[in-house]
Amino acid sequence: MIQKTAKRLSVLLTVLCIGIAVTAAVIPDMKFRRVDTREGLSNSEVFTILRDSYGYVWFGTNYGLNRYDGYRIRNFFSYDKDTTSLRNNRIDEIQEGYGGRLWLKQRMNYTMYDPTTEKVDRNPTRWLNQQGMLGSMESIHLDSKMNYWVKSYEEGFYYFNPVTKNLRHFPFGYGPYEFSKDFGVSAYTETEEGMVLVSTFGELMCLDGEHGKVLWKDSYVKNALNAYNDYWVTTDKEGNIWVITHSTGTYIYVKKEKRWYSSLTELMRAQGYQDVPEDVLVWEVRYDAKGFLWVATDHQGVFVLDEENRQWRQFVNVKGDETSLPDNTIKHLYLDQLGRMWLASYKNGVAMCLESMTNFKSMPIGDINTITEDKDGYYWIGRNDGGIIKMDPKTLEPVEQFTKQSLGVPSDIIVGSYAAKEGGLWFGTYEGGILHYKDGQWKNYRTTDPGSALVTNNIWGITEDRWGNIWVGVLGGGVVRIDKKTGRQRAFTADNSVLNTVWTNSISTGSNGWIVLGNSEYWALVNPGNFKIINGSFPTDNDRKAITVSTATTQAVIDSRGLLWQCSPSGVVIYDLKTKQKTLLDMKSGLFGSNAVSVTEDTRHTMWVATDHGVSNITPQKQDDGTWTFTIRNFNSRDGLQPGPFNQRAIFCSRTGELLIGGQEGLDIISTLKLGDGNTKERPVFSGLVLFDQEVEVGQAYDGRVILEQALDMQGSIRLSYDQNQFTVHMASDNGGINNATRFVYQLEGFNDKWIKTSANNPDITYMSLPPGSYTLCVRMLKDDGTMGEVESRLDITIDAPWYRSWWAIMLYILLLVGVLVSLRPMRHKWLKRKRKHRRRLQEETESIAEAPEEDDVEEAVLMDDDEK
């Protein structure tokens, strides 16, 4: 009975512990991406954020308006002599109105930005007056349906529905259900009941806009503070009203209890939250897509509250961690249409919380050289400075640790590892030989052992052939085979085989069953059946500017497609052993750095290459002609990885799709299966046009002609002269997320039918010396698997011919030719007349010559005449 009770109690405690663990894990570890002045933000102090209906994200700062398209920032400023620019350079609030126009609050005034003309109207009251909202504007609010709520100084309060044209007027009055002229509107919030307004003295009022009624008023905060201030108001999902001042505290009206709380701390304690901090100065609160309540504070970062489980977490700035908050004072929270939470900081720009960033984990557990996985799914991690750690893959907590002291071996520097099919684990060390672990027993193989074939005790890698024999890569000793049955060792070196070097840096088993060696002379293949050795190299490029590939291989593998991947200081070379196609990917090709230190294949059969300070996911795609193309997607410290450098060969993919990468600052884990299938629904956006390194602005004349009458993406076409045929189109998408890594593919109809990928680091499309003609630029998003998205954006491009090849010039040429021919006709007649006259003269002369006496007759006649004389 006691045993059964104890067992039940044990089970109950286990369930409770699991329940507590699950509850505590409800709020995930939030990670953030940042945008600051390094990316072109005009000022580090950000007041407001908005993602518009076109996909652009707008930041209002203390100095300038900023438009972000996910790749680049465009700044808008105030210019004294340009009345279509901002009124001043401070942007306190951004709202999108009907037709996509942006309403900007600039201190005590409002301006309106037109995204079509990219110009600013400094007096938007005129537009309001045209809609029937009279008087000069004191404040304006656009609700979720883009209805207008406007208070004028003289005429009262207005509600306007731009779709139905329903206009409601709340004239000034001092009755209980009238709008007081003294009610200076400080902020608005939309509720199911109606629009709730808070005044500059803390008074609340709820309006029914469609029916033009004041529903209720509340003066609790006004009576409690009786002070003029900037008040902010919102309601939570339970209908509670939050009134926040940035100097005198936070007041929360709990609807169910029908009472007010005078601080966040008081409310959290009353609701059962534990370890609640004191003196929390709140700036804003906002719900995220999962229903967590975010609280932006002054100097205390962000609190995230799980109201259902009464749990909370605090997130702050961590020095050196760019995935943490940019600043501990967060002034503004904004949830965009895609469910992403944006944060505006006091002095370090903007941050965006991206759920996919939780797929990246970084653990500072030492200098990691190698990782493998045992038959039970536990990770075995070899460190450069502390032996071996056995880690639970679920909790990511160490289970056991093995050092040279506990094992009685000469080295704590673990360089290589491998989990054999029979369940044993093999580890290579620096100056410590081989370690073998099975069934709780350790064994050490060294050069001094009887029958050892090891030349040195530096074991850089371990693998297994199809028969279960172990193959060991020995730095300075070639490769050694350990027979599975007998344990006998056999070495293959430059002395006893055709192997051209003994400096083996990596070893693996290819998909073809051959043993793949990465060494100081490119690579080599060993047939484990007949021990045939092939020393490999790469064909020479005929291009004079082709980079010479380094012979010093850090790691070489053959993937499931039969492609050989060679990592070196030059980058990564992908070599098709059948077709002999060689492709070098380096930083110019989009790789995150050229010093490739490790490579592996994940469960999706995409490849991962680690460089010094980043990781690249590479998707090979075979073309119809048998050649290969490669799509690159990069990740670095801004995605949640350690800053690096990463270590050679320290990369491994688990059976569950977790990618583990070791570096000098610990272990990184990427959940590859949660990164998405790359089936993006983004729409390509023509974000801007650059002509000879100069940004083309809407309405501005270039060489006497306006190129853009509207924003490029809206205009949909451009016409350039023949000497303007060198241009760049800025590409973006309607996603608007920070550091968008999605690339584009494009084709220029009328020029060629080939689809071209933009580079990984530059999503621009540039053409040089495009011949005169009519073209259409077709652009699609590039999926992660290398295929094209379905949504296509098109831009018509016309390059005019030079004037001497224009249609009117050709017509002029024809007219001139006709004129010349017409003018030559009388001259031809005169010429023909002279020719006929000349011909007659010749004919007459010929006839006269024919009638004349011959020369002999003349002489005879002369003689006769002499005789007669």
Side-chain angles (χ1 to χ4, degrees):
M1 183 68 179
I2 295 175
Q3 291 179 347
K4 289 183 179 180
T5 303
K7 187 175 181 179
R8 289 176 182 173
L9 183 59
S10 176
V11 172
L12 180 60
L13 289 172
T14 301
V15 172
L16 286 174
C17 290
I18 293 174
I20 293 171
V22 171
T23 300
V26 169
I27 302 175
D29 185 18
M30 306 292 186
K31 293 183 179 294
F32 305 88
R33 284 182 178 170
R34 303 180 188 177
V35 168
D36 52 35
T37 53
R38 292 173 295 180
E39 283 76 34
L41 195 65
S42 62
N43 190 267
S44 294
E45 186 176 7
V46 182
F47 299 127
T48 182
I49 304 171
L50 173 80
R51 180 178 181 267
D52 67 19
S53 55
Y54 302 102
Y56 293 118
V57 180
W58 296 82
F59 307 131
T61 74
N62 196 22
Y63 190 79
L65 176 68
N66 298 259
R67 190 192 76 181
Y68 185 60
D69 62 15
Y71 300 88
R72 63 191 70 80
I73 292 178
R74 183 178 178 185
N75 309 122
F76 297 84
F77 297 105
S78 173
Y79 300 99
D80 293 337
K81 296 185 178 181
D82 184 359
T83 58
T84 64
S85 67
L86 297 173
R87 181 182 290 270
N88 58 67
N89 283 316
R90 182 185 173 102
I91 310 295
D92 296 292
E93 187 179 31
I94 307 172
Q95 302 179 82
E96 184 174 16
Y98 190 70
R101 290 181 288 267
L102 300 183
W103 291 77
L104 312 175
K105 183 179 182 182
Q106 300 194 258
R107 298 187 185 275
M108 298 299 294
N109 299 292
Y110 286 87
T111 54
M112 185 171 63
Y113 171 84
D114 189 338
T116 301
T117 63
E118 297 184 348
K119 304 299 181 184
V120 173
D121 182 357
R122 293 184 176 182
N123 186 19
T125 300
R126 290 174 298 187
W127 184 87
L128 295 175
N129 295 160
Q130 293 171 2
Q131 314 308 314
M133 292 169 277
L134 305 179
S136 54
M137 176 174 45
E138 178 184 333
S139 71
I140 183 171
H141 178 75
L142 285 304
D143 64 24
S144 59
K145 298 179 181 179
M146 294 188 180
N147 299 316
Y148 291 76
W149 303 76
V150 179
K151 187 197 174 186
S152 72
Y153 286 103
E154 307 90 358
E155 302 296 332
F157 194 89
Y158 290 94
Y159 165 83
F160 175 63
N161 186 323
V163 177
T164 64
K165 305 302 180 182
N166 181 17
L167 177 66
R168 293 291 181 175
H169 181 215
F170 298 77
F172 289 137
Y174 292 94
Y177 293 98
E178 292 183 302
F179 200 104
S180 171
K181 188 173 185 179
D182 299 330
F183 192 100
V185 181
S186 181
Y188 302 74
T189 187
E190 189 175 355
T191 70
E192 294 181 359
E193 189 178 10
M195 183 64 68
V196 174
L197 292 66
V198 62
S199 75
T200 52
F201 278 88
E203 183 181 2
L204 294 172
M205 181 189 303
C206 183
L207 304 180
D208 179 354
E210 284 293 324
H211 298 94
K213 294 181 179 181
V214 177
L215 300 180
W216 54 260
K217 296 181 180 181
D218 188 286
S219 301
Y220 178 85
V221 177
K222 177 182 178 181
N223 296 333
L225 297 177
N226 192 28
Y228 178 89
N229 211 328
D230 285 331
Y231 292 86
W232 186 83
V233 63
T234 190
T235 56
D236 60 28
K237 60 185 178 182
E238 295 179 356
N240 303 323
I241 299 176
W242 296 62
V243 178
I244 299 171
T245 65
H246 306 143
S247 59
T248 53
T250 300
Y251 291 82
I252 308 105
Y253 177 76
V254 179
K255 189 175 182 180
K256 291 181 179 179
E257 302 177 21
K258 295 183 178 180
R259 63 158 292 187
W260 284 88
Y261 288 87
S262 59
S263 70
L264 175 65
T265 301
E266 181 186 6
L267 175 66
M268 291 179 66
R269 286 176 177 170
Q271 293 182 341
Y273 291 90
Q274 301 297 317
D275 302 322
V276 180
E278 299 281 355
D279 302 325
V280 180
L281 182 57
V282 178
W283 276 93
E284 283 188 10
V285 296
R286 187 85 58 187
Y287 281 100
D288 67 13
K290 291 186 175 181
F292 295 135
L293 182 65
W294 289 55
V295 181
T297 75
D298 193 286
H299 285 84
Q300 297 188 54
V302 169
F303 298 165
V304 179
L305 279 61
D306 176 7
E307 295 178 313
E308 182 178 350
N309 297 293
R310 295 297 187 254
Q311 300 291 322
W312 71 283
R313 289 188 65 177
Q314 182 180 13
F315 298 93
V316 297
N317 172 262
V318 178
K319 186 176 180 179
D321 183 1
E322 293 201 23
T323 65
S324 66
L325 289 181
D327 186 19
N328 284 329
T329 295
I330 303 299
K331 285 191 166 186
H332 176 61
L333 299 170
Y334 172 71
L335 184 70
D336 71 13
Q337 303 91 325
L338 301 179
R340 301 171 300 200
M341 184 65 77
W342 295 76
L343 304 90
S345 75
Y346 171 56
K347 56 182 180 181
N348 202 18
V350 175
M352 180 189 74
C353 182
L354 191 62
E355 185 177 353
S356 63
M357 290 186 67
T358 60
N359 300 323
F360 297 82
K361 302 180 183 68
S362 188
M363 305 174 61
I365 58 173
D367 193 353
I368 308 301
N369 283 337
T370 183
I371 312 105
T372 192
E373 178 185 21
D374 67 19
K375 61 181 181 180
D376 298 320
Y378 286 91
Y379 301 145
W380 292 71
I381 301 165
R383 297 191 293 178
N384 193 50
D385 51 6
I388 302 168
I389 295 175
K390 180 182 178 182
M391 178 182 289
D392 188 323
K394 297 179 180 179
T395 65
L396 299 180
E397 295 292 334
V399 177
E400 292 183 83
Q401 185 169 351
F402 306 93
T403 63
K404 65 179 182 180
Q405 290 81 9
S406 63
L407 299 178
V409 295
S411 178
D412 250 350
I413 303 175
I414 312 300
V415 184
S417 62
Y418 182 79
K421 290 178 287 187
E422 45 84 19
L425 299 173
W426 297 79
F427 299 92
T429 71
Y430 173 71
E431 293 296 341
I434 306 170
L435 297 176
H436 180 226
Y437 175 82
K438 187 177 182 182
D439 299 330
Q441 301 295 319
W442 288 89
K443 184 177 180 179
N444 185 206
Y445 297 84
R446 303 191 66 203
T447 57
T448 55
D449 296 341
S452 175
L454 297 175
V455 177
T456 75
N457 286 316
N458 299 322
I459 310 302
W460 252 230
I462 304 168
T463 192
E464 180 181 17
D465 63 25
R466 68 183 66 179
W467 298 283
N469 303 308
I470 298 299
W471 292 74
V472 180
V474 184
L475 187 67
V479 61
V480 173
R481 174 184 180 272
I482 303 177
D483 190 278
K484 175 184 177 182
K485 297 179 180 179
T486 65
R488 294 182 59 184
Q489 301 179 14
R490 176 177 177 180
F492 298 86
T493 67
D495 296 329
N496 62 10
S497 70
V498 299
L499 201 64
N500 59 6
T501 179
V502 295
W503 298 98
T504 304
N505 295 322
S506 75
I507 187 169
S508 62
T509 303
S511 57
N512 57 4
W514 286 58
I515 304 300
V516 185
L517 307 180
N519 54 39
S520 60
E521 296 295 332
Y522 295 114
W523 50 274
L525 302 179
V526 181
N527 188 323
N530 57 18
F531 307 135
K532 178 182 178 181
I533 296 176
I534 300 175
N535 292 305
S537 62
F538 299 116
T540 303
D541 290 311
N542 294 325
D543 189 352
R544 293 179 59 189
K545 295 185 178 180
I547 297 175
T548 302
V549 176
S550 173
T551 63
T553 302
T554 54
Q555 188 174 9
V557 301
I558 295 179
D559 68 10
S560 58
R561 291 163 286 263
L563 299 177
L564 184 140
W565 297 68
Q566 181 239 15
C567 293
S568 76
S570 307
V572 58
V573 173
I574 305 103
Y575 185 55
D576 191 327
L577 296 169
K578 295 181 179 179
T579 65
K580 310 304 180 185
Q581 176 190 345
K582 182 188 77 171
T583 304
L584 172 64
L585 299 181
D586 55 12
M587 62 188 305
K588 293 183 178 179
S589 311
L591 207 64
F592 200 87
S594 292
N595 186 24
V597 296
S598 62
V599 59
T600 194
E601 184 173 4
D602 65 18
T603 55
R604 303 175 303 168
H605 301 295
T606 68
M607 304 300 293
W608 292 82
V609 174
T611 55
D612 281 337
H613 300 284
V615 180
S616 300
N617 182 213
I618 304 173
T619 303
Q621 188 177 23
K622 194 170 187 178
Q623 305 302 307
D624 294 337
D625 59 0
T627 60
W628 293 91
T629 59
F630 304 92
T631 303
I632 303 173
R633 184 181 181 187
N634 293 320
F635 305 94
N636 55 28
S637 59
R638 290 197 166 189
D639 298 292
L641 302 178
Q642 59 180 289
F646 292 101
N647 289 328
Q648 295 183 6
R649 302 170 303 279
I651 193 167
F652 177 80
C653 186
S654 72
R655 294 189 293 271
T656 59
E658 300 290 290
L659 184 74
L660 294 89
I661 313 162
Q664 293 185 14
E665 297 195 16
L667 178 70
D668 288 340
I669 302 177
I670 302 176
S671 300
T672 61
L673 298 180
K674 296 180 181 179
L675 292 179
D677 57 4
N679 189 18
T680 176
K681 296 181 181 179
E682 300 174 43
R683 181 183 74 86
V685 173
F686 301 109
S687 181
L689 178 67
V690 177
L691 191 63
F692 296 108
D693 297 326
Q694 182 181 2
E695 193 82 26
V696 177
E697 296 185 7
V698 176
Q700 185 172 344
Y702 296 84
D703 295 333
R705 183 173 62 178
V706 174
I707 297 175
L708 293 179
E709 298 284 355
Q710 302 178 9
L712 180 63
D713 195 63
M714 299 179 186
Q715 181 165 298
S717 64
I718 55 173
R719 190 180 194 94
L720 304 173
S721 63
Y722 73 96
D723 57 352
Q724 294 174 332
N725 59 353
Q726 178 180 326
F727 60 92
T728 296
V729 177
H730 285 321
M731 292 307 306
S733 79
D734 59 358
N735 178 283
I738 293 179
N739 297 334
N740 194 343
T742 309
R743 295 168 59 188
F744 303 86
V745 287
Y746 63 94
Q747 176 195 61
L748 190 62
E749 290 183 355
F751 185 72
N752 60 42
D753 58 357
K754 183 179 180 181
W755 287 91
I756 304 170
K757 300 176 184 177
T758 59
S759 68
N761 301 320
N762 183 13
D764 290 343
I765 299 174
T766 300
Y767 284 99
M768 308 284 288
S769 303
L770 195 63
S774 297
Y775 311 94
T776 299
L777 179 62
C778 309
V779 186
R780 299 188 184 188
M781 307 304 297
L782 181 65
K783 298 181 183 179
D784 292 343
D785 61 1
T787 60
M788 293 189 300
E790 297 178 358
V791 181
E792 182 175 288
S793 296
R794 300 169 69 89
L795 177 68
D796 294 329
I797 302 172
T798 301
I799 306 295
D800 289 337
W803 66 269
Y804 51 83
R805 291 177 54 188
S806 61
W807 66 269
W808 56 266
I810 294 173
M811 291 297 298
L812 180 61
Y813 299 153
I814 294 173
L815 291 175
L816 288 174
L817 179 61
V818 171
V820 170
L821 293 176
V822 171
S823 63
L824 289 177
R825 187 173 182 181
M827 297 176 62
R828 185 172 182 273
H829 283 305
K830 291 181 181 180
W831 177 77
L832 290 174
K833 186 176 181 181
R834 286 196 300 270
K835 186 176 182 181
R836 285 195 296 269
K837 185 176 180 180
H838 179 69
R839 188 177 297 169
R840 285 196 300 269
R841 186 185 304 115
L842 290 176
Q843 185 176 1
E844 291 174 355
E845 291 177 354
T846 302
E847 291 176 354
S848 61
I849 293 173
E851 294 175 358
E854 294 183 359
E855 185 178 358
D856 293 341
D857 294 339
V858 173
E859 291 181 354
E860 183 177 358
V862 170
L863 292 173
M864 290 177 62
D865 184 63
D866 290 340
D867 292 340
E868 289 178 0
K869 288 180 179 182

